[in-house]
Amino acid sequence: MADTTSRTRLDQTPEWHALARHREEFGATHLRELFDADPERGRRYTLRVGDLYLDYSKHLVTDETLRLLRDLAAATGVAGLRDAMFRGEKINITEDRAVLHTALRAPSAESIEVDGTDVVPGVQHVLTRMSTFADRVRSGDWRGHTGKPVRAVVNVGIGGSDLGPAMAYEALRAYTRRDLTVRFVSNVDGADLHEAVRDLDPETTLFVIASKTFTTVETLTNAAAAKRWLLAGLGAGDEAVAKHFVALSTNAAKVAEFGIDTDNMFEFWDWVGGRYSYDSAIGLSLMVAIGPGAFREMLAGFRLVDEHFRGAPPEENAPLLLGLLGVWYGNFFDAQSHAVLPYSHYLSKFTAYLQQLDMESNGKATDRGGERVGWQTGPVVWGTPGTNGQHAYYQLLHQGTKMIPADLIGFARPVAELGDLAGQHDLLMANLFAQGQALAFGKTAAEVAAEGVPAAQVPHRTFPGNRPTTTILADGLTPSVLGQLVALYEHKVFVQGAVWDIDSFDQWGVELGKVLAKRLEPALVDGAGGAEVPGLDGSTVALVDAYRALRGR
Ligand code: F6P
């Protein structure tokens, strides 16, 4: 068992102090100076991992910085915790669970034990069942209650049971069967389900109810509403459910209680965290869309980066490097947020997906020993695809007062089916490269003045630069490349959680709001309003009353 409790507090370690001293010495060193000092930097500070090419030359680091950061990783036991994770040890200490999303992409020959049982055969068994089911739906062999083939699949889930498959479906649209409609419903706002089904035919619609726990109120509410919509549309009773509802869950009892036949349930396990689950049964809607072959290619991409993370030396280990760069900025430059800016419209949901992965994992302030941390932990993660963001919030990235490290992600080739539109791709990529350049090197006052700009305008038109970016390039956005990208971020988040000494795999912070909502709901509908809820604060009482008045209650 990895020793996760008895270590020196992070900010008391010599390695932390060494970094703090180094930061002082680093001062306001500019990327211009770093590039002047080492013209080879743009080639030297790069890594290749599978199909990914990573350029980290535009970071405020020297060889010394990188060495000190790796020393911090060594001192905080990142490698030991990583190995414990891959071995299936219960590193999710507050829930006493193994953390084994890596087993979801392990080859069948591998053996990984949890509580003395090899979990790999179970993973492979579920994958085979998913493949058979996906093929049946894709071929039209899976028929609805009235005998018509399914043509629309609606995934109902939230958080990890939505963001991953929804993101990957969008990312891999070019690989999907275009004659199948695939939609994702998550919000308890009834508008979400309403808009998703309003033009669908109940006879040819399949609902995939995705919930690890099968207790999540949003998902159960939407699933019940979907059932009502379906049965009303078919004019049928519960006997129609079996042909139109399948479940993805760890909780067979709750699935059965909801009325879904457990023969139509695809299982996963408590050692798969929700935000790490879209390569488990939670990916069924995606698999229906892209097919079992492409799904397996995606798993192989994940696996490739798993192997890299486990085996590559620290100097060449990409997730380790990205994690440590985040530590450098968050803890030594006071950077509060991190932007992920994909230059691919297909990755329009990628950053939203990473928000859960990163912020639900590392948005913690209690260390693994139960003490309050004395250092910054997870950043705010945000961003949208380029070039759209350039015409919205990039102003702040370039000239604002905040340091926001960013990842720029792009692909050498557009997807094959774009035809004539592929010509636009060079323009897209020129924008990506230009942004990295402008953020790093800016434009000095002297350069602006030399262009004949009136003196009063010079300060406004000067770009300070020195804003760090990582550029990630790949040949194309294939299923394997998507798997590689996601695994890269999964392990980056792991590294940061390990350094910060927090449990990256629980999410207690989401519980309070759920409890309070449950307590409040009746006061919105019945009785005399907020004043009747014991202990309710004055602001919420007033809001409940205002809401009730607007609803005429
Ligand atoms: O409330 C947060 C959370 O537990 C996430 O961690 C999870 O991905 C999501 O809710 C959905 O949970 P479930 O899959 O159990 O419905």
Side-chain angles (χ1 to χ4, degrees):
M1 181 72 191
D3 181 7
T4 54
T5 48
S6 60
R7 75 181 211 195
T8 311
R9 301 261 298 164
L10 175 62
D11 54 358
Q12 307 298 318
T13 60
E15 292 77 10
W16 183 272
H17 291 305
L19 274 162
R21 276 195 305 277
H22 179 67
R23 170 69 187 96
E24 271 179 35
E25 287 154 19
F26 201 93
T29 305
H30 200 286
L31 280 165
R32 284 177 180 242
E33 296 166 59
L34 296 177
F35 273 84
D36 285 347
D38 177 8
E40 278 305 298
R41 189 181 165 95
R43 293 188 196 283
R44 211 160 62 81
Y45 280 5
T46 60
L47 281 178
R48 266 187 194 283
V49 182
D51 297 309
L52 308 178
Y53 175 86
L54 266 84
D55 170 5
Y56 60 98
S57 64
K58 296 196 202 74
H59 278 288
L60 297 168
V61 295
T62 60
D63 289 353
E64 173 74 349
T65 322
L66 295 171
R67 189 182 62 73
L68 292 172
L69 286 167
R70 286 194 297 268
D71 288 350
L72 184 71
T76 50
V78 174
L81 195 67
R82 173 199 64 197
D83 295 344
M85 171 177 77
F86 276 98
R87 276 198 303 272
E89 290 181 21
K90 296 189 174 173
I91 64 164
N92 176 354
I93 49 174
T94 73
E95 295 180 306
D96 194 28
R97 286 179 182 167
V99 175
L100 267 183
H101 40 281
T102 51
L104 300 170
R105 50 263 192 165
S108 45
E110 195 162 315
S111 160
I112 306 169
E113 290 196 359
V114 176
D115 293 330
T117 303
D118 182 3
V119 300
V120 177
V123 169
Q124 294 298 328
H125 175 69
V126 173
L127 271 173
T128 304
R129 284 190 63 223
M130 289 167 66
S131 303
T132 307
F133 177 79
D135 279 337
R136 285 192 65 192
V137 175
R138 287 164 65 81
S139 67
D141 181 43
W142 183 279
R143 287 170 188 268
H145 181 63
T146 59
K148 291 192 181 167
V150 160
R151 292 294 85 194
V153 175
V154 181
N155 188 88
V156 178
I158 197 164
S161 300
D162 165 72
L163 290 164
M167 175 279 289
Y169 171 73
E170 208 57 46
L172 300 176
R173 249 178 200 274
Y175 296 82
T176 61
R177 269 194 82 120
R178 300 290 193 165
D179 60 345
L180 276 175
T181 299
V182 180
R183 292 185 181 155
F184 295 84
V185 171
S186 54
N187 201 327
V188 77
D189 182 344
D192 199 4
L193 180 69
H194 171 73
E195 291 297 335
V197 298
R198 54 177 285 282
D199 58 348
L200 297 183
D201 177 357
E203 287 187 274
T204 57
T205 300
L206 175 81
F207 289 97
V208 176
I209 311 301
S211 176
K212 178 176 168 178
T213 55
F214 234 77
T215 58
T216 304
V217 69
E218 291 92 332
T219 300
L220 295 188
T221 305
N222 276 324
K227 193 155 123 186
R228 286 196 300 276
W229 173 84
L230 184 99
L231 298 185
L234 293 178
D238 280 351
E239 70 283 358
V241 168
K243 298 286 184 195
H244 292 270
F245 278 81
V246 299
L248 320 174
S249 189
T250 60
N251 193 340
K254 290 278 177 197
V255 168
E257 198 179 297
F258 179 81
I260 297 178
D261 189 340
T262 46
D263 283 351
N264 291 341
M265 167 178 156
F266 297 84
E267 182 195 10
F268 62 114
W269 307 271
D270 73 358
W271 41 262
V272 182
R275 52 194 174 273
Y276 299 87
S277 69
Y278 97 77
D279 49 346
S280 70
I282 288 294
L284 184 68
S285 306
L286 172 68
M287 189 194 267
V288 170
I290 64 174
F295 196 88
R296 291 247 182 208
E297 281 172 34
M298 186 185 75
L299 294 183
F302 274 98
R303 170 72 178 178
L304 195 152
V305 174
D306 291 347
E307 292 288 273
H308 165 85
F309 181 46
R310 187 151 59 163
E315 301 76 29
E316 292 159 28
N317 198 307
L320 180 71
L321 173 75
L322 295 186
L324 291 174
L325 287 170
V327 168
W328 180 229
Y329 296 121
N331 297 112
F332 298 95
F333 284 78
D334 292 328
Q336 299 287 316
S337 82
H338 183 94
V340 180
L341 310 169
Y343 277 67
S344 162
H345 209 70
Y346 288 110
L347 287 183
S348 60
K349 295 189 173 167
F350 190 64
T351 311
Y353 167 75
L354 292 184
Q355 282 180 325
Q356 187 197 14
L357 176 65
D358 200 322
M359 294 166 78
E360 199 168 74
S361 295
N362 286 343
K364 319 269 166 76
T366 304
D367 74 14
R368 293 168 70 87
E371 285 184 58
R372 168 103 197 166
V373 296
W375 46 88
Q376 288 291 314
T377 60
V380 175
V381 176
W382 62 281
T384 51
T387 58
N388 291 358
Q390 292 176 202
H391 299 271
Y393 52 79
Y394 276 41
Q395 164 67 39
L396 185 147
L397 296 186
H398 286 288
Q399 289 188 315
T401 52
K402 294 169 178 58
M403 176 204 243
I404 303 178
D407 298 344
L408 302 165
I409 304 172
F411 302 93
R413 287 174 216 281
V415 300
E417 63 174 34
L418 283 179
D420 279 354
L421 298 174
Q424 297 183 197
H425 196 71
D426 293 331
L427 177 59
L428 173 71
M429 292 303 290
N431 273 276
L432 182 160
F433 297 132
Q435 290 300 324
Q437 183 190 352
L439 287 164
F441 304 110
K443 193 170 181 185
T444 63
E447 286 166 342
V448 176
E451 287 175 354
V453 169
Q457 281 191 18
V458 169
H460 299 284
R461 294 169 66 166
T462 298
F463 289 70
N466 224 22
R467 284 141 203 255
T469 54
T470 303
T471 304
I472 304 177
L473 287 181
D475 188 35
L477 182 51
T478 61
S480 169
V481 164
L482 182 68
Q484 292 173 45
L485 275 173
V486 173
L488 180 69
Y489 280 96
E490 284 179 347
H491 297 319
K492 170 199 161 175
V493 167
F494 175 91
V495 167
Q496 296 187 332
V499 170
W500 289 324
D501 195 22
I502 52 181
D503 186 339
S504 297
F505 302 102
D506 60 17
Q507 56 284 319
W508 299 108
V510 301
E511 295 304 323
L512 178 61
K514 292 183 192 174
V515 172
L516 296 182
K518 209 169 183 175
R519 200 183 297 162
L520 273 174
E521 193 193 345
L524 304 188
V525 186
D526 305 314
E532 284 196 353
V533 182
L536 201 60
D537 64 276
S539 164
T540 312
V541 169
L543 285 168
V544 168
D545 291 347
Y547 173 80
R548 285 175 57 109
L550 288 167
R551 293 291 309 256
R553 289 176 180 154

